[in-house]
């Protein structure tokens, strides 16, 4: 037993990608078990390891965690990516540009890296895949993006060969449909 | 509102009745992402239902005693959120779509969601879902049960432990009060409300 978290999902971003980002940002190595066929999913469902018969599922710390939000909450809190108190945690829904501008700091909340920063970077990069100049009017977010991408654990995750998944390839659609429907 | 009820919290409500009401809130800058719900408390204008609920739960010791208990509460709450999310949209659907979705909701409630909570109660034999203590997950489940029963009155017929659970949690004095007429609990949407909501949010 390796003791590393084990991620169960398709080999693609979907609802698991944010979890991959968080684990990577926290410097936690993880394994992945891919659901490639409908039989793979059925096997998981029949074995009783999926609380609501759904993936994502992450095996860690003796638990079989499901529901992406619950999983993200657990990882964030465990690895101190969640702000130091309740009020900081609430601010995780904050508007990024005004937050960064208003308090003039490098991070969205509490002046240290948190899940909000990691998720914001994830969203920025995904949005740029759709529209490369989407940050044109947001200089503060541009420097946020550069700074956050350079954090060593995140920089590593952004390099080829990392567990980061590419954008969805439409050629994969028939295969994914067959798994879930 | 259900979560506030457990504490007999007094809370005020500022209803959005028209599109102009919503515009005013947006123009005030009160809505972080231009959306409601928004709850003003403790010096904050909180938005995003889950963020609001997490804050209230944690502030009032309804979020478990450690990370692992919190993970269980989160998982259970996400399940009931998914179920209630399906039910919430029914009033806005056409008759044909509504009929199909209602059948799906009942099927999911009986086959995917309720078995999980019934089993949890059976396995540990306690009165509450997590940590042998009342938590957000219990309150959320009661709300989901009541909403599901509005879809099918005998939806809990195969779930004896959930029936007992429902009775128990409903009898907690503050919750009992919230379930009585005259409380701030809101009824299911009627046609007039649906029309009004469509006008406010423009869909």
């Amino acid at each position: 037993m390796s003791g590393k978290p084990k991620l169960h999902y398709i080999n693609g971003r979907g609802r698991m990608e944010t979890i991959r980002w968080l684990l990577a940002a926290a410097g936690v190595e993880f394994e992945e078990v891919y659901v490639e066929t409908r039989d793979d999913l059925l096997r998981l469902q029949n074995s009783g390891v999926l609380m609501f018969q759904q993936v994502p599922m992450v095996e860690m710390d003796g638990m079989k965690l499901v529901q992406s939000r619950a999983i993200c909450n657990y990882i964030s809190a465990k690895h101190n990516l969640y702000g130091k108190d309740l009020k900081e945690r609430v601010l995780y829904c904050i508007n990024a540009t005004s937050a960064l501008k208003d308090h003039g700091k490098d991070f969205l909340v509490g002046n240290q890296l948190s899940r909000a920063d990691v998720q914001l970077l994830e969203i920025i990069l995904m949005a740029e895949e759709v529209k490369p100049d989407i940050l044109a009017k947001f200089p503060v977010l541009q420097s946020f993006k550069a700074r956050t991408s350079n954090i060593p654990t995140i920089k590593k995750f952004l390099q080829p060969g990392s567990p980061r998944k590419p954008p969805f390839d439409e050629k994969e659609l028939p295969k994914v449909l067959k798994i879930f429907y | 509102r259900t979560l506030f009820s457990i504490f007999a919290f007094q809370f005020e409500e500022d209803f959005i009745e028209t599109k102009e009401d919503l515009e005013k809130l947006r123009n005030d800058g009160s809505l972080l992402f231009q959306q409601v719900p928004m709850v003003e408390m403790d010096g904050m204008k909180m938005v995003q239902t889950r963020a609001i609920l997490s804050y209230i739960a944690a502030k009032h010791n309804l979020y478990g005693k450690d990370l692992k208990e919190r993970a269980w509460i989160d998982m259970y709450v996400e399940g009931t959120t998914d179920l209630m999310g399906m039910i919430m949209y029914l009033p806005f659907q056409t008759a044909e779509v509504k009929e199909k979705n209602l059948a799906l909701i009942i099927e999911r409630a009986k086959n995917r969601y309720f078995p999980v909570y019934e089993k949890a109660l059976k396995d540990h034999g306690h009165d509450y879902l997590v940590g042998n203590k009342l938590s957000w997950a219990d309150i959320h489940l009661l709300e989901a049960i009541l909403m599901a029963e509005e879809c099918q009155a005998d939806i809990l017929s195969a779930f004896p432990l959930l029936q007992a659970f429902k009775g128990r949690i409903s009898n907690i004095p503050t919750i009992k009060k919230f379930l009585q007429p005259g409380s701030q609990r809101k009824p299911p949407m009627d046609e007039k409300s649906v029309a009004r909501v469509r006008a406010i949010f423009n869909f």
Side-chain angles (χ1 to χ4, degrees):
Chain A
M1 248 241 290
S2 68
K4 293 183 199 170
K6 220 191 250 181
L7 276 50
H8 295 263
Y9 199 60
I10 57 170
N11 185 359
R13 287 182 178 175
R15 293 183 191 275
M16 187 63 101
E17 192 71 354
T18 303
I19 294 163
R20 295 184 184 106
W21 271 88
L22 277 182
L23 286 170
V28 176
E29 284 187 19
F30 54 91
E31 292 171 8
E32 302 201 68
V33 179
Y34 296 125
V35 174
E36 309 253 86
T37 64
R38 186 151 183 81
D39 281 345
D40 290 343
L41 182 61
L42 286 172
R43 205 174 319 123
L44 275 177
Q45 289 171 334
N46 293 334
S47 68
V49 298
L50 304 179
M51 184 184 276
F52 299 113
Q53 310 312 318
Q54 296 165 318
V55 285
M57 187 269 278
V58 175
E59 296 182 74
M60 66 188 289
D61 298 346
M63 294 181 290
K64 294 174 167 50
L65 294 171
V66 298
Q67 296 288 345
S68 40
R69 246 178 234 97
I71 298 167
C72 286
N73 285 351
Y74 182 75
I75 295 167
S76 304
K78 182 179 177 189
H79 295 283
N80 294 312
L81 290 170
Y82 220 148
K84 68 181 192 318
D85 59 28
L86 279 186
K87 280 199 175 184
E88 279 197 359
R89 281 189 214 152
V90 170
L91 295 173
Y92 284 111
C93 304
I94 209 162
N95 174 290
T97 302
S98 63
L100 291 170
K101 253 205 308 213
D102 284 350
H103 67 89
K105 296 195 178 116
D106 285 354
F107 304 104
L108 281 171
V109 183
N111 210 22
Q112 69 182 46
L113 181 71
S114 73
R115 74 186 278 192
D117 303 294
V118 177
Q119 275 177 241
L120 178 57
L121 177 61
E122 183 190 1
I123 292 166
I124 286 172
L125 295 179
M126 277 180 77
E128 285 181 334
E129 281 163 3
V130 175
K131 188 174 191 293
D133 63 348
I134 204 165
L135 284 195
K137 296 200 186 121
F138 301 97
V140 176
L141 286 181
Q142 287 173 37
S143 34
F144 169 85
K145 173 193 161 191
R147 228 170 27 240
T148 310
S149 305
N150 264 312
I151 291 169
T153 48
I154 296 184
K155 189 171 184 169
K156 189 171 171 203
F157 187 64
L158 292 174
Q159 273 154 8
S162 84
R164 187 178 180 220
K165 303 292 174 270
F168 189 69
D169 178 356
E170 277 181 23
K171 272 191 292 158
E172 299 285 303
L173 185 59
K175 182 174 157 200
V176 172
L177 286 176
K178 249 194 283 191
I179 296 172
F180 291 110
Y181 295 103
Chain B
R1 292 183 189 102
T2 310
L3 196 52
F4 272 140
S5 77
I6 185 78
F7 305 108
F9 258 1
Q10 304 273 358
F11 56 91
E12 291 169 13
E13 301 197 71
D14 206 346
F15 295 123
I16 294 169
E17 312 257 350
T18 65
K19 210 184 332 180
E20 287 69 39
D21 291 342
L22 182 60
E23 282 310 310
K24 183 161 177 295
L25 269 178
R26 285 175 171 157
N27 294 334
D28 273 347
S30 302
L31 305 179
L32 219 38
F33 298 112
Q34 312 311 319
Q35 295 168 319
V36 285
M38 189 269 276
V39 175
E40 298 179 72
M41 71 186 282
D42 299 347
M44 294 181 289
K45 290 181 162 59
M46 290 195 287
V47 297
Q48 297 288 340
T49 310
R50 249 177 228 85
I52 299 166
L53 287 169
S54 299
Y55 181 75
I56 297 166
K59 183 180 178 187
H60 297 283
N61 296 311
L62 290 172
Y63 220 157
K65 69 177 196 306
D66 58 28
L67 275 194
K68 285 200 175 185
E69 283 195 355
R70 206 183 121 168
W72 281 101
I73 291 168
D74 277 340
M75 288 195 279
Y76 290 143
V77 163
E78 289 295 311
T80 38
T81 296
D82 283 350
L83 179 59
M84 286 197 277
M86 293 171 74
I87 301 174
M88 190 170 67
Y89 288 109
L90 280 176
F92 299 96
Q93 291 163 353
T94 61
E96 196 191 320
V97 171
K98 187 173 173 170
E99 197 187 321
K100 217 171 38 145
N101 282 334
L102 186 58
L104 181 63
I105 286 164
I106 292 168
E107 190 265 323
R108 286 272 159 87
K110 289 192 200 175
N111 294 334
R112 177 178 285 187
Y113 295 108
F114 289 157
V116 171
Y117 304 100
E118 180 85 0
K119 180 176 189 292
L121 292 171
K122 180 159 185 234
D123 285 352
H124 58 51
H126 297 149
D127 283 355
Y128 307 106
L129 284 172
V130 179
N132 203 11
K133 181 171 178 269
L134 181 72
S135 76
W136 173 21
D138 301 299
I139 300 167
H140 216 243
L141 176 57
L142 175 63
E143 186 188 359
I145 285 172
L146 296 177
M147 275 184 82
E149 285 182 330
E150 283 163 5
C151 294
Q152 188 183 73
D154 64 348
I155 204 167
L156 281 195
S157 57
F159 304 101
L161 294 180
L162 286 183
Q163 289 173 40
F165 173 88
K166 173 194 163 189
R168 260 190 329 268
I169 308 295
S170 303
N171 264 311
I172 293 172
T174 46
I175 296 200
K176 188 170 186 172
K177 190 168 173 210
F178 188 65
L179 293 174
Q180 274 155 9
S183 81
Q184 282 164 301
R185 185 177 183 225
K186 302 293 174 275
M189 286 232 146
D190 59 16
E191 265 179 41
K192 224 176 33 160
S193 308
V194 169
R196 191 167 2 122
V197 168
R198 281 195 192 277
I200 294 169
F201 294 103
N202 211 24
F203 71 99

